[in-house]
Amino acid sequence: MSKEIEKKWQEKWKESKLFQSDHDERKKIFLTVAYPYPSGAMHIGHGRTYTVPDVYARFKRMQGYNVLFPMGWHVTGAPVIGIASRIKDKDPWTLDLYENVHNVPKNEISKLEDPEYIVKYFSTEYHNVMDDMGYSIDWRREFRTTDPTYKKFIEWQIKKLKKMDLIRKGNHPVKYCPHCDNPVGDHDLLEGEGVGVNELTLLKFKIIEKNDNDTNKDNGDNINTANNVKYLVPATFRPETIYGSTNLWLNPNVEYIQVTSDDSENGTNGETWVISKESFDNISNQIKDLKILGDIDPETLIGAHIENPVTKDHHPILPASFVDPEYGSGSVFSVPGHAPADYIALEDLKNNKELIEKYSLKDIVNKIEPLNVVTIKKYSEIPAKDVIERLNVKNQEDPKLEEATNELYKVEHSKGIISKHIPIYSGERVSIARENIKKDMISKNQATIMYDFAEHPVICRCGTKCVVKIMDNQWFLKYSDEEWKDETRKLLRNENIIPAEVRSNLEYYIGWLEDWACSRRIGLGTKLPWDKQWLIEPLTDSTIYMSYYTIAKYLKDINSEDLNDAFFEKIFFDNDINIDTIDKTQLNSIGANIDDFRLKVDEDIINEIQNEFSYWYPLDWRLSAKDLVGNHLSFHMFHHAAIFPPENWPQGMVVFGMGLLEGNKMSSSKGNVILLSDAINEYGADVVRLFLMSSAEPWQDFDWREKEVVGTKRRLDWFFEFAEKIESIKMNKNKSSLDLSNIERVDLTRKIDLWMMNQLYIRINDATTALEGFQTRKALQDSLFLLKKDVDHYMYRTKHLLEDPDEALIFVLSSILESWIRILSPFTPHSCEELWAKYGGEGFVSEAEWPIKYQYFPMKCTPTLNLKVDSCIPSEVIEKSEEMVQSIVKDINEIKKIVDVTPEKIHVYLAPDWKWMLYRIADDVGKPDIGQIMGRAIGENIHDNKKEIAEVAKKVGREMTKTRYIGKIDEYEVLSDALDFISEEVGSEVIIHKDNSYDPQNKARNAMPYKPALFME
Ligand SMILES: [Zn+2]
């Protein structure tokens, strides 16, 4: 398929406005797929994402639905800002990515220094490639999320949510690059993609002088002076273990510093903290005005004591190499009873004579015993010891240590109870006590909150280590609001979810989601109407944009200033706002003025837009990728639940898997991608489409393998050859070419013709069912691969006719081609239009009816989904008949091989009526109960010879477990019909006997229903 031909059809579709959908009387389908964030070129992974909805849209159009498949560009957010500045800085990695992976021409590269140009460049590129793929998009509704009209739509939404009290103010930790001075998303990272931010409790341990009762202070620095109390501040996930603390770990090989700040809200409160130098960047982004007072040598601290902030016990400071200076504040408090790492580190230290001597720790270390805090069934008082011993962890470096830690963390969190001897919290579940202890310590200034990455390092593209920064006065969507969650759950209950297992993920996320920071300082986007220093972040401005598609084509002619709250309220809810009833005190808090509630658009236009919206809404299907379930897809449900009434809630969701390239994860930033435009140039859009749709179901991960793509191309070539072959058969017969719009009907009598039409019907039926559930792969299995197998079989069975075809053969072959072009057209639309036009199809095949409705099946009745209609030849009888023909040929050839002679004649004997009756009785009985079958057979008097009945009943009993009884088949008719074929296949004369008048070797008695007996001579 040449690119010119594909282009030709794309032009023709465009000229005929084939995919422009307006509201009318027909039933509608409205589907959307996640609109792309175009900051790079489209690759084959995107190809799959956007081909699935196109296939479905095309399929539904052929079924007679009015289908709307729109597209827009999600260009808000910060990533392009970073890209633009890196291009400006001539960052070699970024330049290489854009020149060589995204294929941006050299003369365009410098223009990408402007973020607006990046989104313009790539959304144009996306649009063009989508056209090249043949997507049936209604481009009149195209928009970018930075369009002034879209911004008005976003302003209206956010004001509405604020008014509903679903937005609040607060502080918020974000991933941040200190060098770029900007929050970073996964897009912006060189390392640490997807790493989460953990909330830790930072506990304040007061450092007391070395050797409390020692008056000789020579060997210790002047650690504390009266007005300068120092603290070590280890951070933990498990503040409740403070009761089991026995010592504190410092790493003698790490640089430590002393810091302080005056931040009273969340900080040191004027205290001096000792932290590792490497943790300063992170902590100083969370505590205001953190100042470095100077270095401190850890050697001077080891052997000294600290005071437990809660129990007030004194614990020694001990050396440990496992302490990571980057994590938390670079120190760890030790809970050997419940933390396997602490337990083993203590054991290691006890055995390390060198360290013990160096710091004179002998007496101190020997005194330390693990303490119990938490009680768990089946564990001893010291659970850390149990786990260490069971898993046979040898030392701190043992990789099994992590498993031990994880196991104990999980068990204690879910099943642990605070032990009896612990004050206040005894008897509480660990998960509850943990929160209570944390709150209590914070209120007493014994602890504070800090944030850290779950894993290190997290590195910005600029090469700088990222930190967690607290952003002040941030705005939050209140996803933790229980009422809002309940409405969203209600929405989910009424939505179709494909694949079904995603439903529980969505349920989980609805429950799990906390308040979401919905504003950012930097990026492209819409400003918060009531606090204009903030931009609305890109997950928040893409929640109900599907409703915008329904009206987008009208908005282009309206002044964006007129798209105010009154407009959207009227369009979406038919709300007429009475200015007099507006609470004017509220206006300020949502950033509105009274004019926003005066309708400024003409009523005629309003009516038309309203009609369009109410025709297309609710959304029928939302398609998206599985990595967006926890954000985009959940938010989409939350916001629909808040803003729209239940009758306009989304109806269905399909969630996609990911793309692999030759077995590896696709990634633009790692250069492991094939651009969609390159793939189209190499193979043509239809081959790309066919491969993407046939290699996996949408929710499975697919793997682009070049060898298989080439194989797909051969399939499509074969289809063209098949069409040509039929054309030549037709020409051969009656000197006229194929005319698919005028296939001459023939009443079929030959069994094999009926069989072929029946198979065609089954394949179409199965493919239809599969497509209804978005199973593109299964649909192609049925409609391409299995159907091709059937056609191959048919052509083989009729090979003796191909030289001199009859009308029936031509009818069957033309019918196959005619339906086949229709069923494949959603998948390979260009090829199908070309074949359709070439062989006389009427109009566009894209507009033709889906074949299941377009009936010409030759059965005695119109087939329906349930083929067992009285007057029909049941489908399974047709199938069974052909199966019999095939097994006779197979049986004869096998016997011939064994006896190694070519018989002159082969006699075929058929089962007499009474054996069929016996089979029917056995089927009635439903199990191989010979006694019962015999009894009924004798009762019905089906045969005189009881001995024979008994013999055959046994056989039937065995047979019925393998072969289902489907009624009596006229075997004589079936086999006579195929006699030429059978004779040719076995190379002998075949005689079918109606009775046993010629049966020299008494073989006829072996004949069973569906299994004739054979005699060769
Ligand atoms: Zn940076």
Side-chain angles (χ1 to χ4, degrees):
M1 187 89 217
S2 73
K3 202 166 177 192
E4 288 71 48
I5 294 178
E6 293 188 338
K7 209 75 256 153
K8 174 183 83 182
W9 287 108
Q10 288 154 14
E11 289 300 325
K12 283 183 191 249
W13 293 331
K14 200 172 166 188
E15 276 163 31
S16 342
K17 302 179 177 167
L18 218 56
F19 308 124
Q20 295 191 359
S21 317
D22 297 304
H23 62 101
D24 60 23
E25 299 307 310
R26 284 176 294 167
K27 282 212 272 183
K28 63 90 188 176
I29 294 277
F30 175 29
L31 81 164
T32 67
V33 57
Y35 54 0
Y37 185 91
S39 63
M42 227 178 153
H43 60 66
I44 45 176
H46 303 122
R48 201 263 293 263
T49 304
Y50 298 103
T51 303
V52 175
D54 186 59
V55 167
Y56 188 79
R58 288 174 171 276
F59 160 63
K60 283 286 156 186
R61 262 183 222 111
M62 293 175 78
Q63 280 189 331
Y65 287 91
N66 190 9
V67 178
L68 175 57
F69 175 29
M71 190 61 63
W73 315 109
H74 189 207
V75 302
T76 35
V80 289
I81 308 280
I83 295 165
S85 79
R86 287 194 291 276
I87 287 178
K88 206 169 187 175
D89 293 346
K90 304 267 181 284
D91 169 50
W93 183 87
T94 309
L95 289 178
D96 178 63
L97 178 71
Y98 278 83
E99 279 174 23
N100 301 317
V101 179
H102 295 307
N103 268 347
V104 179
K106 278 234 182 301
N107 60 329
E108 292 279 338
I109 285 278
S110 66
K111 297 183 197 162
L112 303 185
E113 291 175 13
D114 173 10
E116 300 266 5
Y117 191 79
I118 296 178
V119 300
K120 201 174 144 213
Y121 178 88
F122 286 110
S123 55
T124 308
E125 147 107 13
Y126 260 70
H127 183 134
N128 293 337
V129 177
M130 286 182 172
D131 275 346
D132 291 344
M133 282 293 278
Y135 294 156
S136 58
I137 292 168
D138 183 352
W139 285 116
R140 295 171 305 161
R141 299 164 193 269
E142 180 183 19
F143 65 87
R144 292 197 196 113
T145 52
T146 47
D147 292 348
T149 47
Y150 189 80
K151 286 184 172 180
K152 296 296 281 186
F153 169 71
I154 294 301
E155 281 176 20
W156 158 74
Q157 265 174 62
I158 203 92
K159 281 190 257 181
K160 192 170 173 80
L161 293 168
K162 180 89 186 329
K163 206 166 147 220
M164 294 166 82
D165 196 27
L166 293 175
I167 295 181
R168 69 165 177 90
K169 205 174 194 178
N171 295 336
H172 177 57
V174 295
K175 292 181 194 171
Y176 197 81
C177 171
H179 175 255
C180 300
D181 200 14
N182 217 351
V184 289
D186 280 346
H187 273 85
D188 305 308
L189 297 179
L190 209 54
E191 247 181 277
E193 220 175 294
V195 167
V197 169
N198 290 334
E199 186 189 294
L200 303 172
T201 309
L202 188 139
L203 302 174
K204 301 178 181 181
F205 289 80
K206 184 160 70 180
I207 300 172
I208 45 183
E209 293 177 43
K210 244 186 196 181
N211 206 346
D212 239 356
N213 305 318
D214 197 350
T215 45
N216 176 8
K217 293 182 182 171
D218 296 338
N219 55 5
D221 278 357
N222 185 8
I223 297 169
N224 279 330
T225 58
N227 58 355
N228 181 17
V229 183
K230 291 191 182 75
Y231 293 84
L232 273 160
V233 286
T236 181
F237 263 126
R238 305 187 54 188
E240 77 281 9
T241 58
I242 186 67
Y243 290 99
S245 166
T246 59
N247 62 287
L248 201 135
W249 300 112
L250 271 196
N251 190 336
N253 308 315
V254 162
E255 292 179 73
Y256 288 87
I257 53 175
Q258 306 181 51
V259 296
T260 190
S261 92
D262 294 327
D263 183 5
S264 57
E265 192 188 326
N266 178 31
T268 70
N269 249 324
E271 303 141 356
T272 299
W273 290 1
V274 174
I275 64 173
S276 66
K277 205 170 180 178
E278 286 180 71
S279 68
F280 178 77
D281 275 349
N282 192 40
I283 296 177
S284 63
N285 272 288
Q286 300 176 22
I287 292 176
K288 268 191 213 143
D289 307 320
L290 196 70
K291 289 187 288 281
I292 299 180
L293 300 172
D295 294 344
I296 185 164
D297 182 357
E299 305 274 343
T300 65
L301 294 171
I302 289 167
H305 283 73
I306 37 98
E307 184 187 87
N308 184 313
V310 176
T311 65
K312 308 294 176 195
D313 290 339
H314 291 185
H315 309 316
I317 302 172
L318 300 177
S321 57
F322 78 86
V323 176
D324 177 0
E326 272 190 68
Y327 190 73
S329 68
S331 61
V332 171
F333 77 87
S334 170
V335 188
H338 297 278
D342 294 335
Y343 183 88
I344 202 92
L346 206 55
E347 293 295 303
D348 285 359
L349 181 60
K350 283 180 183 171
N351 297 323
N352 190 331
K353 287 197 182 103
E354 204 183 315
L355 274 184
I356 298 264
E357 242 164 68
K358 183 175 174 190
Y359 298 106
S360 331
L361 298 172
K362 195 166 179 221
D363 292 343
I364 297 178
V365 169
N366 284 340
K367 263 191 272 172
I368 298 177
E369 288 301 328
L371 300 173
N372 169 277
V373 184
V374 175
T375 303
I376 355 165
K377 268 188 196 153
K378 293 185 190 159
Y379 285 81
S380 72
E381 291 240 302
I382 309 302
K385 187 175 174 216
D386 300 350
V387 184
I388 294 266
E389 282 172 1
R390 178 154 41 78
L391 295 178
N392 196 19
V393 180
K394 297 206 170 58
N395 53 42
Q396 292 172 69
E397 270 74 50
D398 195 327
K400 283 184 300 236
L401 184 57
E402 193 181 327
E403 188 189 336
T405 304
N406 288 342
E407 175 191 319
L408 198 54
Y409 179 82
K410 272 190 204 137
V411 171
E412 295 201 345
H413 180 80
S414 60
K415 297 187 180 137
I417 304 286
I418 302 292
S419 302
K420 279 197 187 116
H421 62 273
I422 305 291
I424 311 167
Y425 304 102
S426 83
E428 272 185 27
R429 286 173 50 195
V430 164
S431 52
I432 292 165
R434 178 174 299 161
E435 290 306 310
N436 292 337
I437 291 173
K438 180 166 82 183
K439 263 186 214 147
D440 188 48
M441 286 193 294
I442 291 173
S443 73
K444 291 177 176 152
N445 192 32
Q446 295 162 341
T448 187
I449 295 292
M450 80 164 283
Y451 298 91
D452 203 348
F453 294 117
E455 280 169 49
H456 285 277
V458 175
I459 299 177
C460 175
R461 289 240 181 271
C462 74
T464 309
K465 273 187 198 163
C466 294
V467 298
V468 182
K469 185 180 173 72
I470 303 281
M471 302 285 271
D472 291 340
N473 299 321
Q474 169 69 271
W475 293 95
F476 289 84
L477 281 158
K478 288 155 76 171
Y479 292 142
S480 64
D481 185 290
E482 275 308 320
E483 258 175 70
W484 197 2
K485 280 184 194 289
D486 280 345
E487 280 297 289
T488 309
R489 289 188 184 106
K490 224 185 275 170
L491 182 151
L492 176 60
R493 274 199 291 280
N494 292 309
E495 192 167 1
N496 278 319
I497 306 291
I498 298 177
E501 61 265 26
V502 172
R503 181 177 297 278
S504 59
N505 290 3
L506 287 163
E507 278 162 3
Y508 168 79
Y509 279 113
I510 293 171
W512 173 85
L513 270 172
E514 298 275 349
D515 292 354
W516 176 259
C518 63
S519 52
R520 294 286 182 273
R521 291 286 185 195
I522 302 219
L524 303 180
T526 309
K527 286 180 174 157
L528 263 190
W530 61 87
D531 190 359
K532 296 220 157 115
Q533 58 172 329
W534 290 105
L535 286 158
I536 296 163
E537 63 83 41
L539 281 158
T540 306
D541 80 0
S542 55
T543 55
I544 58 163
Y545 65 92
M546 312 81 208
S547 61
Y548 188 82
Y549 282 129
T550 68
I551 63 174
K553 64 173 175 151
Y554 297 98
L555 305 189
K556 289 172 183 165
D557 304 324
I558 301 177
N559 182 352
S560 65
E561 284 311 307
D562 295 345
L563 301 177
N564 54 17
D565 302 68
F567 172 81
F568 291 108
E569 290 290 323
K570 180 75 185 164
I571 297 295
F572 294 137
F573 317 110
D574 199 22
N575 247 349
D576 293 300
I577 296 170
N578 180 353
I579 297 273
D580 301 330
T581 63
I582 289 179
D583 176 3
K584 288 165 188 79
T585 56
Q586 233 197 15
L587 290 176
N588 211 20
S589 76
I590 62 167
N593 62 57
I594 196 81
D595 225 28
D596 294 339
F597 298 94
R598 280 200 186 92
L599 205 52
K600 293 178 180 170
V601 180
D602 285 350
E603 209 171 306
D604 292 356
I605 301 170
I606 290 275
N607 281 339
E608 198 165 338
I609 303 178
Q610 261 184 332
N611 286 339
E612 185 95 21
F613 168 74
S614 49
Y615 176 74
W616 293 114
Y617 241 57
L619 179 70
D620 296 288
W621 291 105
R622 164 125 164 94
L623 283 63
S624 197
K626 71 175 167 199
D627 53 333
L628 303 180
V629 167
N631 48 55
H632 272 296
L633 293 173
S634 299
F635 293 7
H636 159 77
M637 295 195 297
F638 268 96
H639 288 243
H640 269 91
I643 290 175
F644 289 103
E647 63 270 22
N648 275 333
W649 286 352
Q651 302 292 296
M653 190 186 284
V654 184
V655 178
F656 294 165
M658 312 303 272
L660 302 175
L661 179 55
E662 308 286 349
N664 297 310
K665 197 184 159 203
M666 263 187 244
S667 159
S668 299
S669 60
K670 296 198 171 65
N672 192 41
V673 284
I674 289 179
L675 294 192
L676 197 50
S677 53
D678 290 343
I680 297 170
N681 285 333
E682 173 102 28
Y683 304 103
D686 278 355
V687 172
V688 175
R689 292 173 64 113
L690 192 56
F691 175 80
L692 292 172
M693 293 303 96
S694 63
S695 62
E697 298 296 5
W699 39 92
Q700 296 167 334
D701 296 347
F702 77 95
D703 191 0
W704 180 274
R705 291 188 185 263
E706 202 178 327
K707 260 192 194 159
E708 290 169 27
V709 182
V710 173
T712 304
K713 185 171 184 311
R714 273 189 232 118
R715 288 272 177 182
L716 200 55
D717 292 344
W718 175 88
F719 192 54
F720 276 79
E721 286 157 21
F722 172 73
E724 252 165 57
K725 189 166 186 174
I726 294 170
E727 166 88 344
S728 75
I729 290 170
K730 174 105 191 330
M731 283 298 279
N732 208 10
K733 169 69 181 171
N734 42 27
K735 308 285 170 253
S736 67
S737 29
L738 268 173
D739 182 1
L740 295 182
S741 55
N742 258 319
I743 298 174
E744 202 178 318
R745 289 191 64 128
V746 177
D747 281 331
L748 300 178
T749 52
R750 204 162 36 214
K751 302 284 180 200
I752 189 64
D753 296 334
L754 283 169
W755 176 85
M756 182 64 242
M757 293 308 278
N758 184 55
Q759 288 305 108
L760 177 61
Y761 176 74
I762 290 171
R763 300 306 178 205
I764 293 172
N765 220 346
D766 290 351
T768 307
T769 312
L771 269 184
E772 295 285 2
F774 288 87
Q775 289 173 285
T776 59
R777 178 173 191 271
K778 169 139 197 337
L780 279 169
Q781 282 292 333
D782 295 319
S783 66
L784 185 55
F785 304 103
L786 294 177
L787 183 54
K788 178 178 181 298
K789 242 174 116 183
D790 297 337
V791 170
D792 286 344
H793 179 70
Y794 176 71
M795 302 281 268
Y796 185 72
R797 278 283 264 108
T798 54
K799 59 182 190 280
H800 57 288
L801 290 169
L802 294 178
E803 291 296 306
D804 181 21
D806 58 10
E807 293 298 337
L809 183 82
I810 286 174
F811 168 67
V812 172
L813 288 174
S814 329
S815 302
I816 294 170
L817 181 65
E818 203 267 359
S819 302
W820 216 345
I821 296 173
R822 289 174 197 255
I823 340 170
L824 289 185
S825 83
F827 300 97
T828 56
H830 311 89
S831 307
C832 291
E833 291 289 7
E834 186 67 13
L835 288 171
W836 189 252
K838 188 170 173 190
Y839 298 116
E842 213 173 292
F844 291 105
V845 71
S846 301
E847 281 191 310
E849 262 186 278
W850 188 248
I852 207 90
K853 282 179 75 189
Y854 177 85
Q855 297 296 353
Y856 45 65
F857 293 95
M859 285 150 229
K860 287 176 187 164
C861 63
T862 309
T864 62
L865 283 172
N866 177 6
L867 280 161
K868 281 185 173 174
V869 180
D870 283 350
S871 57
C872 274
I873 303 169
S875 169
E876 51 188 2
V877 171
I878 298 178
E879 283 173 74
K880 190 83 199 169
S881 303
E882 179 56 18
E883 214 179 89
M884 275 180 58
V885 172
Q886 294 306 316
S887 59
I888 286 246
V889 168
K890 202 172 138 223
D891 289 351
I892 293 173
N893 281 333
E894 266 169 20
I895 296 170
K896 268 170 64 185
K897 230 191 258 167
I898 294 164
V899 298
D900 200 22
V901 281
T902 307
E904 228 164 84
K905 285 179 182 166
I906 295 163
H907 301 272
V908 178
Y909 300 100
L910 309 174
D913 273 353
W914 70 267
K915 290 188 184 173
W916 285 97
M917 288 155 91
L918 195 62
Y919 215 131
R920 195 244 312 135
I921 290 169
D923 186 56
D924 275 353
V925 170
K927 55 185 180 216
D929 178 343
I930 309 301
Q932 208 183 331
I933 295 169
M934 280 283 292
R936 296 220 350 220
I938 291 165
E940 284 187 35
N941 201 15
I942 61 165
H943 187 55
D944 293 339
N945 188 334
K946 281 185 191 161
K947 203 180 143 210
E948 273 185 4
I949 295 181
E951 247 171 59
V952 176
K954 269 184 222 156
K955 269 194 187 174
V956 167
R958 281 197 300 273
E959 204 59 38
M960 69 185 290
T961 55
K962 289 180 275 174
T963 312
R964 202 165 67 83
Y965 179 75
I966 57 160
K968 192 184 171 200
I969 287 180
D970 189 339
E971 295 182 324
Y972 186 80
E973 195 196 343
V974 167
L975 296 176
S976 306
D977 180 78
L979 201 54
D980 290 349
F981 172 76
I982 298 170
S983 302
E984 206 182 318
E985 288 296 295
V986 303
S988 308
E989 187 190 345
V990 175
I991 302 151
I992 299 160
H993 294 272
K994 267 188 163 167
D995 54 36
N996 52 3
S997 50
Y998 179 79
D999 185 13
Q1001 290 198 3
N1002 199 18
K1003 295 278 188 191
R1005 67 191 176 89
N1006 294 331
M1008 291 289 288
Y1010 312 122
K1011 235 179 149 33
L1014 299 172
F1015 166 54
M1016 300 192 191
E1017 66 174 3

